Amino acid sequence: MAWIGKMGQEVLNQANLSENFCVIGGIDKFDANKNSFPVYSDISKMEEVPDVIIDFSVPEASINVLEYACQKNIPVV
């Protein structure tokens, strides 16, 4: 997954440079960017199931990310 803030854009750039990563979705309150992947405002609405979640959100949003990750047994970085 990729997030759309400044740090998220850098994570996305690095993932795109690597042959080992494939971004399948993102979470952002407001999706103002054009992406080649779906972006959800609520992680529980995500249709794709990632192998790992890279979280650069604010602490309030991280709680939802961690709850989702625990339910789906997905590692979080």
Side-chain angles (χ1 to χ4, degrees):
M1 287 193 336
W3 291 259
I4 313 306
K6 289 180 183 180
M7 193 62 188
Q9 286 297 317
E10 186 57 34
V11 170
L12 178 59
N13 291 336
Q14 293 303 311
N16 287 335
L17 291 173
S18 173
E19 295 178 8
N20 298 318
F21 294 96
C22 175
V23 178
I24 62 165
I27 307 298
D28 197 349
K29 194 187 281 189
F30 306 104
D31 180 24
N33 301 305
K34 293 186 179 195
N35 299 294
S36 59
F37 52 85
V39 176
Y40 300 91
S41 60
D42 182 343
I43 195 166
S44 67
K45 307 262 191 253
M46 217 176 135
E47 297 172 9
E48 304 78 12
V49 180
D51 294 326
V52 66
I53 297 172
I54 301 174
D55 182 13
F56 278 97
S57 62
V58 296
E60 296 82 18
S62 290
I63 298 300
N64 290 336
V65 171
L66 291 173
E67 287 174 354
Y68 173 86
C70 286
Q71 290 171 355
K72 304 282 186 178
N73 199 27
I74 301 169
V76 178
V77 177

